[in-house]
Amino acid sequence: MEATNPNPSSMSGVAAASAAELLCCASARALLDSVDAFLFDCDGVIWKGDKLIDGVPQTLDMLRSKGKKLVFVTNNSTKSRIQYANKFQSLGLSVNQDEIFSSSFAAAMYLKVNQFPPHKKVYVIGGEGIVQELQLAGFTALGGPEDAEKRAQWKSNCLFEHDKYVGAVVVGLDPDINYYKLQYATLCIRENPGCLFIATNRDSVGHMTDLQEWPGAGCMVAAVCGSTEQEPIVVGKPSTFMMDFLLQK
């Protein structure tokens, strides 16, 4: 959980604190009085997999009752904001789309803010969430779940074709990552002039289920870094883009 302080001048005092302190009744009350908006991560904070963490509904209700603004910020790019809003509803939490900032949304907004040419296409290693956010932003998305069953063929005199109009590759969490997707993304980044390499995040693991952690998007990103010998533009936490965009909103 993170909190935004309404008084920028007091931030130096916060940064100067030598160590974190356990909350007591008095300090918890002072924290609540000094903060206007609370930012929550989702995986491992609100839920683990599809299981709600104990105490979350009561905490959110209490903060809302005190007039606090709540924002849910997740690096998990498998869902769009609409899909995340549906997940919140399915868990009995009343959260609307405008209160959600996902790394899939951040990837689309990065292209939007940087005036990505509308005639260019975006190749996706990731889930439906990235594809949906790109489409909602007006971009043409290729790959993603549609390439889950495709296989690269190692045959003599067989040229692997890729779309020369792809101007950006977005890599996020992809449970269906395969060699075909890696080759497609690699060719776009290495051979299409000016092609952007965007990572939703570089988290090594994530709480995909309630019982254990699983490999995160950082594993997929690392594979593309290796084959292209390039470093990505990271739009999710802890990069500043998502937070700067959120604060502007």
Side-chain angles (χ1 to χ4, degrees), residues 116-199:
F116 184 73
H119 67 280
K120 291 284 189 177
K121 302 174 184 178
V122 184
Y123 186 75
V124 175
I125 292 181
E128 184 61 34
I130 300 174
V131 173
Q132 191 173 112
E133 290 291 359
L134 288 170
Q135 292 173 340
L136 288 171
F139 301 118
T140 300
L142 308 176
E146 288 190 2
D147 286 355
E149 303 300 324
K150 293 182 180 179
R151 296 291 179 265
Q153 299 294 321
W154 285 357
K155 295 181 179 179
S156 298
N157 300 318
C158 180
L159 181 67
F160 190 105
E161 297 287 351
H162 72 284
D163 195 318
K164 303 301 190 296
Y165 282 94
V166 170
V169 171
V170 177
V171 182
L173 183 62
D174 191 342
D176 297 313
I177 191 169
N178 57 36
Y179 202 76
Y180 180 94
K181 294 182 183 183
L182 290 175
Q183 171 68 341
Y184 204 109
T186 299
L187 290 175
C188 290
I189 294 170
R190 295 183 67 171
E191 296 186 6
N192 291 5
C195 184
L196 301 175
F197 173 18
I198 298 172

Side-chain angles (χ1 to χ4, degrees), residues 16-69:
S18 58
E21 297 179 6
L22 291 174
L23 290 177
C24 62
C25 290
S27 59
R29 189 176 300 110
L31 173 65
L32 285 174
D33 291 342
S34 67
V35 172
D36 291 329
F38 285 81
L39 277 58
F40 290 91
D41 195 2
C42 294
D43 292 314
V45 176
I46 303 298
W47 55 62
K48 286 187 177 180
D50 291 321
K51 184 178 180 181
L52 194 63
I53 292 175
D54 292 341
V56 165
Q58 297 87 342
T59 301
L60 300 185
D61 287 345
M62 180 272 292
L63 291 173
R64 289 192 190 279
S65 72
K66 295 184 177 298
K68 306 301 182 182
K69 182 174 179 60

Side-chain angles (χ1 to χ4, degrees), residues 205-233:
V205 296
H207 293 281
M208 311 314 169
T209 68
D210 60 330
L211 296 180
Q212 59 191 175
E213 291 183 324
W214 293 71
C219 302
M220 293 82 193
V221 174
V224 180
C225 287
S227 61
T228 61
E229 298 184 316
Q230 292 191 33
E231 288 297 307
I233 300 163

Side-chain angles (χ1 to χ4, degrees), residues 91-108:
L91 295 173
L93 300 176
S94 180
V95 174
N96 64 58
Q97 177 180 325
D98 292 335
E99 294 176 308
I100 301 167
F101 282 76
S102 62
S103 61
S104 53
F105 177 61

